[in-house]
Each structure stands twice: as structure tokens, then as C-alpha cells.
């Protein structure tokens, strides 16, 4: 409870601060207390991922370690190697002791043998050169260092160069250091031998793997674990889901050429690097692994990454075994082995709960996320560090638009179609390690989640569609974007499709950044979903036009195009927020139930003795739907307004959008509320079709009319004769005109479409604001309120924005209608009630058997059907208060009432006008009857007489002349 209270206080105070409502009331006491408590707990339970200083190059005499990305000094027994990326022994002082390298100087005039595993002498015409520490041969002779079976000679000698080759004469001097190659004239440099079948230089069968300058066998003496020594299966690469030309998917196996070339040399070099590094760690005087050996570890890691880290594959098994034999803790990372690249994380928790050692803001330099990519060739050569802008995207377009995701808090999605021929042209395969730069200039590794990862053959381990499954995800480090190399059975030639079996590319990439509940940032996570296509799907030819055309619509324009996308997601840990929302949710549920019960109570009061049947149960369910829709609309609106206001208007980083899983929950509640309201609207349509409306005409006859006999006689003549006694006078009651009733009914019908707001106007203004002024892009998931760059909108923000504009437009219309129009221009309801008084007609409306409304229109004058002059006199009398007021009670003007009638009243109503509503509906339903018959039914004299009787009954009821049905007027209470 204490932490919950602190959270709300912190939310309230920071909200005041970020919204700039009142800085005067903001204090640091609560924030400091909360931060101290959070720091105490988090320091004890949350894992950390170390930040470290990185380098991209080092000045002499230091060398750059491409594995740990740091600068180090070479031991005294070594010197800085080529390009400054490792340490090498002097050419005259290199030997191996088994699988561990050590630098020693050969005694006397002896030189290192061909493999630098021992010392050899210079025999015959071969002479020793002290300046180079090598044997030299005379002109047109080359040095023989290896026996025909591939083993180094203990005594080197010179032999004539083959035909059409030569070797120039050299004088022993220091200028030859690093440039003198005594075996230059040979077609194949030993120990390589000419292979007639392939017309290439190859290692002999006894030592078939070339590692640097030597050919070696896959034996334990070379530091290679027996379990991962070469077998033919390593070359067979399995692609479990490949799209073929028919559009279906199937599995494929490819004998990969690049794996044939790289696996064993990489394994041997990496084994030597690990063993040499372990020895040097215990004895600083020993040699460090060379750059080539470390490059072998990078290549081995690349091969494992290209197999999507399949634990059952030989490259990944080899990496794991060498990692277990190497010491850990490089750059403070427990999973970063010495001399080897960092590929793994201990567990999902170490990634999902690790904090980022940096501070971010929405303004200034701290508002830009700075990522770095360490770029490697597939052979393991470190290329460079790249500042990430558009490097992760396979779509092209405006660089500023594509790199908007680097602005903190800017979630976005870019999708496009890419021609597969463009991927085919990516003949150099690069792999990447991603880092994020912290505020102090250090870097932290960015974990990578590969959707295609299979753990020991178990698929869908990292399936993002499985909710709440992050805790068992496997995170890695190294990844690639496009791979047109692994699926080849031969080297790349002039025909790019030659030898290609399978092409792979990153179909979708998602970079997720999450804010923790304590305000800190968690490590970004890069999620990649790869797709593989069969070479038959890739068209022949080159792709010379613009390669990555930016398209919002991802509909494929041709069979050679595939859809790719890049998404950035900034979200926050909403656990505490949803705890607060859970409380509000429970309160809303309580209000839903209270509203539902209240409506049922009111309905039962109107319907005493209501039987429990299907109709009642249906109404009960509809009332529940209506209460839910009404309450939860405002519940969802509050959530949407919260994120719309504080996310789009915050200054300091306070709130980010909820993750996608929480947004799905929001959308589910909104869909359910919409469906519930839709059902209630259907119920209202049905209910209103059952309403009875009865117009009571209070007008009395003006007197009697003389009725004569004889057709064709003039009425005036008959009246004169009657007065003279020549004819017997006949009189009838003067009829009351029905045109007033027709006119009032017509006005009532027109009044049904009158609303205080105009739906067409609301929609027109709403569309103008959202689409015409591009304000719909206020709902894009980025924190800048003024940034209207077109992008995919966020569902929560869009709901809040549309609701805000809709309510604003409606409120403006209501203010206009009730504040100005209805007061000073015209009030349709008030004018209709005035018309009823003018026409001397009242209206009974029954929406239920015992409930309805009554509009009192009985005129205070004797007649309403009169001349214009008489009507003017009536108006003047009302203006001077010479007559009673128009209200039901003569001393007030109240003319509209909600009415509740008794069961006996309703029985009398139905008996006087039997099946009134049903008869009217039957008349309307006779759409196929002839017009004359419809007219006859509508003016059935019997129905008219029934109508007159009902009118007389209702008049007596209103005037309190019905002894059995007395009326009583009372003020309405809420529960009524």
C-alpha cells in the first residue's frame, strides 16, 4: 500500500511538472524517497549489463583487439602485426609448442621451418640471411621448405624454378624484410600442391585444411575437440522453410561452399587463439594470439550466426566447447569469452531486466539514441564501426524520415517492396554486432531475438505471437541482413544465380526500447524475422534501377518483389499503471452493476408483476450491455486522454506508450463496448417502434348548423324559409376541423429529426481537422505534438484524439444551441409546445404500458379554430395576463410531464381503443394492398369513433373528471 501510494504521488507531481501546470507545488521530497526505495530494491534484484569503452583503431605500439574491441600492448616477445590488429612473432622467431604459440629465436644460422613449428637449416645452395632471418636462393631457383607429403623440412634447399617461371637475384639486406618471398616462382606456394582435377592449388590429402600458410589435419594435436572435428554434414546446411515458385514452403538442404571453405580453418585458428590466450593469461611473457587466429574465432561465430544459432550444428557446438574452455568476463560480461566474440546471454532475465546506463530526454542531444554496429566480413575480418542511421533498414527513402526512430520516444513502421535481384547483388556477406552508446561514451551490447531460432530442434522458441512468452526467449548478439552466400554450392561468379540455391533476407526487424517503472531505461532489443526464398523465385538479370523504392502499400507489384519492414517501438513498463487502472476498472464494474440494477429497478417499478420470461431476460441483458458500453467508453477515454496528454505534451521523460500486448487489451475492451452499444441501439430501434402516440383535440364545436332537405336548394334560402315558418328547421352540431391535428402531426414528424447537434456537420468538421489539416498524425507514436509527419497511427492515441475532437465539436454545437440558438433564435421543442397550445391539442406518448410523456396543449381560450382577428385578441390577452397561464395548473406554465399510469388505466386505454398500436402497424404493413383499400382501412369510421372515445377519456383524465383514475403531480426523483 505504501509503494502504491508513492506511485500515485509521483505520477501526480511529475504530471504537474511535465504538463507545466504548476511548478510551484512540485517538491522533490516524494520523488527522492521513491527513488531511494526503488534504487535499494532494484540494486538487489535487477541484473546489470556492463558498459565498456570501445575503440575502432589503436595507435602504435598498441594493437586493436577485434574480439574485445580494446587497445592492448604486445608482449615483449611479439611485435605489432599488419594493420595494427594483433601481435605477430618476428619472422625469424616463431615456433609452436603443440596448439599453443610461443615466440623463440632459432639458434645460430637456423631459421623457422615452413610452419614455424621448429627450426631448420639452410643447405646446399640455400644461404642464410641474417637481415631477414630467412634462407635465400640464387637467381631462378626457389626455396623448398616442405616435403612432398606436406611436412616441414629440417633442412631447406634450393631447386630450379619450373618452366615459364623465374626468381630474380636478391642481395641480403634489411630492405627485404616483409617483402622477400623465396617461393614466389612456384605455381603453388608450399605446402599447397597442384590439383589437376580442380586446376587449383590445394593442401595434400594427409593435411587437407589450409590455416594461414600451413596445411593441417583435424586432430586433437591442433587443439580441435574430437566432437567437432570435420564431418561432411557440416557442409550440408538445412533451411527449414523456403518459399518456392508456387508460393508454398518446403525444407531445403544445401552443401554450402562458404562452410566448406571456412569451417575447419576457422575452428583450428580459434582453437589456437583460445589455447594461446589461456597460456598467456597465466604467463604474461608468452605470446598473444595473432590477428589471424582471432579472426578464426570471428569466422566461427559468423558460421554459427548464419545457422540461426542452431545448437545441434557443428559450428555452434564448436563455439560452445571453445567458450567453455576459455576464461570469461571480457569487458565485464560474464558471457563474453576471452579471445572469442560475444554471442550469448545467460538468460532471458539478464536481458529483460537489465538497465541502460544512460539518461534520455525529449530535447537536446540526450533525445537521440546512438547505436553502433561492429561490422565483420563472413571470413571474420573486422571492417569498421558504423554509426547507425538507416543501416538497419532495407527500405530506401529520405534519410531523415528513415532515421526518425532514433529520436527517443518515436515509434514508427516503414514498409516497402524490394526486388530480390537487389539482394542477389549483395555478394559480400557482412555480419553485425549492435551496441548502444551511453552518455559517458561507453557502449552496451544490444541483444538480438531471432524469430527463426530453434533450440535443439524445438521451433517457435522466440515466437512473438505467443503472449507472455518473453521469459523463455533466447537472445543472441550477432546477426545479418541479407545472405546470398550461405545458400550457394559454388563460389560467386559472373552469373550471380550460378550455384545459388537459397537466398535469405530480414523480412521484418523491430527495435524495442522499454522504460522501466522506476524511470530507467531497459536495454533495447532487436527482433529479426528472416525469410528464405528458392533461387527459382529470383528472376535472372540485374537490377539497375532504384533498388529500395519506398512504398507505404506493401502489395507486391511483381513476382520478383518481397515485402520488408522496419519497426521501432518505444514503450514503458505499465505494471504499476495497470494496477491503478485495475482499481479504476473495478470501480467501473461496480458502476456498471449499479447502473444496471438501477435501470432494472426503475423498469420493475413501471411494470409491477412483470413475469420472468424471454422478453424480460432479453431486456435485462440489453440493459447490462448499455451500462457496460456507457461506463467503459469513459473508462477507455480516460486512458486514451492520459496517454495523449502526457505522452504528447511532456517535457521530461515521464510516460511512454504501453507495449503492444497492452494495446491489444485496450482494443479488445473497445470492440466489446462498441458491440454492446450496437446491440443496445438495435434494441432502441425495436423499442421505439412499439411507442404509442395519441393526439388529443380539445377543440369544441362552435354551435349548431341548419340542415335542410331537397337537393340543390341554397342554404341561405332554407334558413330564411325556416325563420318565416315556411319550413321546419333541422340542426346538427357544427363539426370540428381535423386540419389542425394533421398540421400538428406533421410538425411532430418533422421534430423527430431535430437534434441539438448535427451528425453530418460533426463528421464534416472532424474529417476536415483530421484529414484536411493532417491532425490525424498527432496520433503517431512519437512525443512531438507538432510533428505531423505521415506515419502509422497508434490505436490508443487515435481513439483519444478522435474522441477529443468529437467531444469538442459536439460541445461547441451544444453551447451554440443551448446558449444562443434556443434562447435567441428558435427552440424547436418550445415552439412545438406553443403550437400545441395554439392548436388546442395535447399529446400522449407511451413508450411502455404504464410509462410515457404528456405534452399539455389545451388552450386557455374558448376556441383555437377561429379567425385571425380573434386569434390576435387572444395573444393580446395572454400578453396582458388577462387569462390563465397555459400550464396544466392554471397558476404555472409547466406543460411537459413524464407520466406513470396504473394498470387499470392502461386496461381502460386498450379497451377504449382496442389493439390501437397493433392495428396501426397492420395498416402500415399492408404495402401490397391496392391504394383504395389502404385508404379505406385508414379512415374506418369504427376506428374514428374509437379514437373519439379515447380522446374523451383522456380529456376527462387530464381535467380530473374520471373518478376511477385520479391524477397527481409530483416532482420527479432520481430513482424514478
Amino acid at each position: 500500500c505504501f509503494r502504491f501510494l508513492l506511485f500515485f504521488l509521483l505520477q501526480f507531481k511529475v504530471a504537474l511538472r511535465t504538463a507545466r501546470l504548476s511548478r510551484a507545488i512540485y517538491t522533490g521530497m516524494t520523488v527522492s524517497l521513491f527513488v531511494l526505495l526503488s534504487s535499494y530494491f532494484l540494486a538487489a534484484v535487477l541484473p546489470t549489463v556492463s558498459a565498456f569503452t570501445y575503440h575502432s583503431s589503436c595507435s602504435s605500439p598498441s594493437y586493436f583487439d577485434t574480439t574485445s574491441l580494446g587497445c592492448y600492448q604486445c608482449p615483449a616477445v611479439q611485435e605489432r602485426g599488419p594493420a595494427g590488429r594483433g601481435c605477430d612473432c618476428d619472422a625469424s622467431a616463431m615456433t609452436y609448442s603443440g596448439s599453443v604459440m610461443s615466440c623463440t629465436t632459432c639458434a645460430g644460422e637456423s631459421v623457422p621451418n615452413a610452419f614455424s613449428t621448429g627450426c631448420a637449416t639452410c643447405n646446399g645452395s640455400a644461404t642464410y640471411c641474417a637481415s631477414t632471418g630467412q634462407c635465400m636462393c640464387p637467381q631462378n631457383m626457389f626455396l623448398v621448405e616442405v616435403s612432398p607429403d606436406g611436412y616441414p623440412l629440417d633442412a631447406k634447399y634450393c631447386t630450379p624454378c619450373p618452366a615459364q617461371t623465374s626468381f630474380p637475384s636478391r642481395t641480403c639486406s634489411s630492405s627485404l624484410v616483409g617483402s622477400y618471398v623465396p617461393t614466389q616462382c612456384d605455381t603453388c606456394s608450399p605446402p599447397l600442391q597442384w590439383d589437376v582435377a580442380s586446376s587449383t592449388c590445394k593442401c595434400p590429402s594427409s593435411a587437407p585444411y589450409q590455416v594461414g600458410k600451413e596445411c593441417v589435419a583435424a586432430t586433437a594435436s591442433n587443439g580441435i575437440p574430437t566432437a567437432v572435428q570435420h564431418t561432411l554434414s557440416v557442409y550440408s546446411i538445412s533451411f527449414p522453410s523456403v518459399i518456392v515458385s508456387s508460393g508454398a514452403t518446403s525444407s531445403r538442404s544445401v552443401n554450402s561452399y562458404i562452410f566448406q571453405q571456412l569451417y575447419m580453418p576457422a575452428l583450428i585458428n580459434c582453437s589456437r587463439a583460445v589455447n594461446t590466450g589461456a597460456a598467456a593469461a597465466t604467463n604474461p611473457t608468452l605470446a598473444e594470439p595473432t590477428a589471424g587466429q582471432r579472426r578464426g574465432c570471428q569466422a566461427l561465430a559468423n558460421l554459427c550466426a548464419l545457422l540461426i544459432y542452431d545448437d545441434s550444428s557443428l559450428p555452434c557446438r564448436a563455439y560452445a566447447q571453445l567458450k567453455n574452455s576459455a576464461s570469461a568476463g571480457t569487458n565485464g560480461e560474464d558471457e563474453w569469452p576471452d579471445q572469442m566474440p560475444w554471442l550469448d546471454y545467460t538468460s532471458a532475465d539478464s536481458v529483460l531486466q537489465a538497465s541502460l546506463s544512460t539518461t534520455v530526454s525529449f530535447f537536446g542531444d540526450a533525445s537521440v539514441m546512438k547505436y553502433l554496429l561492429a561490422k565483420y566480413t563472413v571470413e571474420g575480418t573486422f571492417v569498421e564501426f558504423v554509426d547507425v542511421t538507416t543501416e538497419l533498414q532495407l527500405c530506401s527513402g529520405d534519410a531523415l524520415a528513415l532515421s526518425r526512430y532514433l529520436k527517443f520516444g518515436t515509434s514508427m513502421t516503414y514498409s516497402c517492396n524490394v526486388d530480390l535481384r537487389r539482394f542477389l547483388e549483395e555478394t559480400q556477406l557482412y555480419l553485425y554486432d549492435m551496441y548502444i552508446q551511453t552518455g559517458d561514451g561507453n557502449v552496451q551490447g544490444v541483444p538480438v531475438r531471432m524469430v527463426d531460432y530453434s533450440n535443439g530442434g524445438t521451433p517457435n522458441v522466440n515466437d512473438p505471437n505467443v503472449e507472455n512468452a518473453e521469459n523463455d526467449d533466447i537472445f543472441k548478439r550477432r546477426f545479418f541482413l541479407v545472405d546470398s552466400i550461405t545458400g550457394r554450392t559454388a563460389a560467386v561468379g559472373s552469373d550471380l544465380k550460378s550455384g545459388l540455391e537459397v537466398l535469405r533476407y530480414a523480412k521484418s526487424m523491430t527495435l524495442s526500447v522499454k522504460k522501466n517503472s522506476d524511470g530507467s531505461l531497459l536495454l533495447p532489443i532487436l527482433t529479426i524475422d528472416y525469410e528464405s526464398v528458392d533461387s527459382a523465385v529470383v528472376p535472372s538479370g540485374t537490377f539497375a534501377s532504384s533498388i529500395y523504392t519506398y512504398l507505404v502499400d506493401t502489395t507486391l507489384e511483381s513476382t520478383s518483389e518481397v515485402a520488408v519492414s522496419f519497426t521501432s517501438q518505444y514503450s514503458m513498463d505499465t505494471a504499476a499503471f495497470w494496477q491503478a487502472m485495475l482499481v479504476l476498472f473495478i470501480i467501473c464494474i461496480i458502476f456498471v452493476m449499479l447502473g444496471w440494477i438501477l435501470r432494472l429497478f426503475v423498469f420493475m417499478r413501471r411494470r409491477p408483476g412483470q413475469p420472468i420470461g424471454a422478453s424480460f431476460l432479453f431486456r435485462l441483458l440489453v440493459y447490462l450491455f448499455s451500462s457496460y458500453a456507457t461506463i467503459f467508453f469513459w473508462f477507455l477515454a480516460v486512458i486514451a486522454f492520459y496517454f495523449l496528454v502526457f505522452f504528447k505534451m511532456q517535457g521530461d521523460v515521464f510516460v511512454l506508450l504501453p507495449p503492444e500486448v497492452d494495446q491489444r487489451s485496450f482494443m479488445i475492451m473497445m470492440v466489446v463496448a462498441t458491440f454492446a452499444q450496437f446491440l443496445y441501439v438495435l434494441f432502441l430501434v425495436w423499442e421505439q417502434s412499439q411507442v404509442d402516440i395519441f393526439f388529443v383535440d380539445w377543440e369544441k364545436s362552435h354551435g349548431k348548423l341548419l340542415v335542410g332537405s331537397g337537393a340543390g336548394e341554397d342554404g341561405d334560402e332554407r334558413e330564411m324559409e325556416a325563420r318565416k315558418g315556411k319550413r321546419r328547421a333541422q340542426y346538427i352540431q357544427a363539426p370540428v376541423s381535423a386540419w389542425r391535428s394533421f398540421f400538428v402531426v406533421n410538425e411532430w414528424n418533422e421534430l423527430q429529426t431535430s437534434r441539438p447537434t448535427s451528425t453530418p456537420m460533426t463528421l464534416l468538421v472532424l474529417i476536415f481537422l483530421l484529414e484536411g489539416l493532417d491532425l490525424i498524425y498527432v496520433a503517431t507514436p512519437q512525443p512531438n505534438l507538432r510533428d505531423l509527419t505521415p506515419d502509422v497511427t497508434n490505436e490508443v492515441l487515435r481513439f483519444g484524439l478522435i474522441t477529443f475532437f468529437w467531444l469538442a465539436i459536439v460541445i461547441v454545437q451544444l453551447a451554440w444551441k443551448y446558449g444562443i440558438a434556443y434562447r435567441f433564435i428558435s427552440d424547436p421543442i418550445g415552439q412545438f409546445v406553443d403550437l400545441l397550445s395554439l392548436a388546442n391539442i395535447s399529446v400522449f406518448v407511451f413508450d411502455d404500458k404504464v410509462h410515457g410523456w404528456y405534452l399539455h396543449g389545451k388552450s386557455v381560450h374558448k376556441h383555437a379554430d377561429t379567425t385571425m382577428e380573434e386569434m390576435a385578441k387572444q395573444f393580446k390577452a395572454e400578453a396582458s395576463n388577462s387569462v390563465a397561464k397555459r400550464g396544466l395548473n392554471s397558476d404555472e406554465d409547466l406543460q411537459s410531464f413524464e407520466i406513470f399510469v396504473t394498470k387499470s388505466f392502461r386496461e381502460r386505454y386498450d379497451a377504449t381503443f382496442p389493439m390501437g398500436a397493433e392495428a396501426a402497424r397492420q395498416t402500415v404493413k399492408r404495402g401490397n394492398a391496392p391504394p383504395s383499400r389502404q385508404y379505406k382501412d385508414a379512415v374506418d369510421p369504427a376506428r374514428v369513433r374509437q379514437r373519439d372515445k379515447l380522446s374523451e377519456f383522456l380529456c376527462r383524465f387530464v381535467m380530473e373528471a374520471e373518478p376511477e383514475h385520479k391524477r397527481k403531480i409530483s416532482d420527479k426523483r432520481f430513482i424514478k
Side-chain angles (χ1 to χ4, degrees), residues 36 157 176 205 232 235 241 269 299 310 337 344 391 447 472 523 538 585 684 766 803 810 815 874 938 957:
L36 286 174
Y157 63 92
L176 297 180
S205 58
L232 290 179
Y235 300 153
S241 179
N269 270 323
D310 184 0
D344 305 306
E391 283 72 18
D472 64 351
L523 274 179
V538 184
F585 178 84
L684 284 181
L766 184 65
T803 302
V810 168
Q874 294 175 358
F957 168 73

Side-chain angles (χ1 to χ4, degrees), residues 363-377:
F363 303 100
D365 294 338
S367 65
V368 179
M369 305 291 287
K370 298 177 181 179
Y371 297 100
L372 295 172
L373 286 179
K375 187 176 182 180
Y376 299 88
T377 64

Side-chain angles (χ1 to χ4, degrees), residues 93-302:
M94 179 183 291
T95 59
Y96 279 93
S97 177
S99 61
V100 179
M101 184 182 68
S102 62
C103 297
T104 58
T105 302
C106 293
E109 293 187 351
S110 61
V111 297
N113 65 18
F115 300 159
S116 295
T117 57
C119 295
T121 59
C122 300
N123 288 357
S125 55
T127 60
Y128 175 74
C129 177
S131 299
T132 62
Q134 299 182 16
C135 297
M136 295 189 63
C137 290
Q139 185 176 6
N140 292 330
M141 298 187 74
F142 70 96
L143 189 66
V144 179
E145 301 179 303
V146 181
S147 66
D149 56 359
Y151 291 96
L153 296 173
D154 294 333
K156 301 182 181 181
Y157 63 92
C158 295
T159 188
C161 289
Q164 299 181 354
T165 63
S166 62
F167 191 81
S169 177
R170 290 287 188 269
T171 301
C172 179
S173 66
S174 59
S175 62
L176 297 180
V177 175
S179 63
Y180 179 68
V181 183
T183 58
Q184 189 67 42
C185 65
D186 195 3
T187 303
C188 296
S189 299
L192 301 180
Q193 298 178 358
W194 184 259
D195 182 71
V196 178
S198 61
S199 299
T200 58
C201 295
K202 286 188 174 182
C203 287
S205 58
S206 59
Y209 305 111
Q210 184 177 0
V211 180
K213 296 185 296 182
E214 61 177 317
C215 293
V216 298
T219 61
S221 62
N222 289 311
I224 305 173
T226 304
V228 292
Q229 292 177 9
H230 165 65
T231 61
L232 290 179
S233 63
V234 73
Y235 300 153
S236 181
I237 307 303
S238 176
F239 297 90
S241 179
V242 179
I243 299 178
V244 297
S245 55
S246 64
T249 59
S250 64
S251 60
R252 290 289 302 274
S253 294
V254 177
N255 290 327
S256 177
Y257 173 79
I258 194 67
F259 274 72
Q260 295 178 32
Q261 300 300 310
L262 292 183
Y263 175 66
M264 283 307 300
L267 178 57
I268 294 172
N269 270 323
C270 190
S271 299
R272 290 181 173 180
V274 171
N275 295 329
T276 300
T282 58
N283 187 355
T285 62
L286 298 180
E288 289 283 342
T290 65
Q293 292 168 349
R294 289 193 174 101
R295 190 163 51 247
C297 288
Q298 298 288 355
L300 184 64
N302 290 342

Side-chain angles (χ1 to χ4, degrees), residues 449-452 460-470 473 508 527-529 660 664:
R449 173 170 43 206
M450 294 185 175
V451 177
D452 306 85
N460 302 324
V461 175
N462 291 343
D463 189 352
N465 296 318
V466 179
E467 294 187 8
N468 303 321
E470 279 191 333
D473 283 353
S508 67
T527 302
I528 306 176
D529 187 7
E660 185 176 350
R664 286 200 296 268

Side-chain angles (χ1 to χ4, degrees), residues 198-450:
S198 61
S199 299
T200 58
C201 295
K202 286 188 174 182
C203 287
S205 58
S206 59
Y209 305 111
Q210 184 177 0
V211 180
K213 296 185 296 182
E214 61 177 317
C215 293
V216 298
T219 61
S221 62
N222 289 311
I224 305 173
T226 304
V228 292
Q229 292 177 9
H230 165 65
T231 61
L232 290 179
S233 63
V234 73
Y235 300 153
S236 181
I237 307 303
S238 176
F239 297 90
S241 179
V242 179
I243 299 178
V244 297
S245 55
S246 64
T249 59
S250 64
S251 60
R252 290 289 302 274
S253 294
V254 177
N255 290 327
S256 177
Y257 173 79
I258 194 67
F259 274 72
Q260 295 178 32
Q261 300 300 310
L262 292 183
Y263 175 66
M264 283 307 300
L267 178 57
I268 294 172
N269 270 323
C270 190
S271 299
R272 290 181 173 180
V274 171
N275 295 329
T276 300
T282 58
N283 187 355
T285 62
L286 298 180
E288 289 283 342
T290 65
Q293 292 168 349
R294 289 193 174 101
R295 190 163 51 247
C297 288
Q298 298 288 355
L300 184 64
N302 290 342
L303 296 180
C304 181
L306 290 172
L307 294 172
I308 317 296
Y309 299 96
D310 184 0
D311 295 337
S312 62
S313 66
L314 281 179
C316 293
R317 289 166 52 198
Y319 174 89
Q321 291 197 25
L322 293 176
K323 173 187 172 183
N324 292 334
S325 63
S327 59
T330 302
N331 291 323
E333 294 293 344
D334 295 337
E335 292 298 317
W336 196 334
D338 185 35
Q339 311 301 331
M340 299 179 70
W342 177 23
L343 293 186
D344 305 306
Y345 286 90
T346 305
S347 64
D349 288 341
S350 65
V351 172
L352 299 175
Q353 300 181 22
S355 298
L356 184 62
S357 303
T358 190
T359 302
V360 294
S361 174
F362 289 120
F363 303 100
D365 294 338
S367 65
V368 179
M369 305 291 287
K370 298 177 181 179
Y371 297 100
L372 295 172
L373 286 179
K375 187 176 182 180
Y376 299 88
T377 64
V378 67
E379 294 83 6
T381 301
F382 174 79
V383 180
E384 61 179 336
F385 271 109
V386 180
D387 291 325
V388 177
T389 53
T390 62
E391 283 72 18
L392 295 178
Q393 303 188 49
L394 298 180
C395 295
S396 68
D398 179 51
L400 291 177
L402 291 175
S403 59
R404 287 177 60 241
Y405 71 95
L406 296 175
K407 181 75 173 178
F408 180 77
T410 302
S411 299
M412 68 172 212
T413 298
Y414 278 99
S415 302
C416 66
N417 297 335
V418 182
D419 196 300
L420 286 172
R421 290 171 292 185
R422 178 61 187 91
F423 292 155
L424 189 62
E425 294 175 0
E426 300 284 346
T427 56
Q428 179 59 271
L429 176 56
Y430 294 105
L431 292 97
Y432 306 91
D433 289 339
M434 190 171 180
Y435 300 90
I436 182 169
Q437 190 169 358
T438 59
D440 56 5
N442 293 331
V443 294
Q444 289 179 263
V446 175
V448 178
R449 173 170 43 206
M450 294 185 175

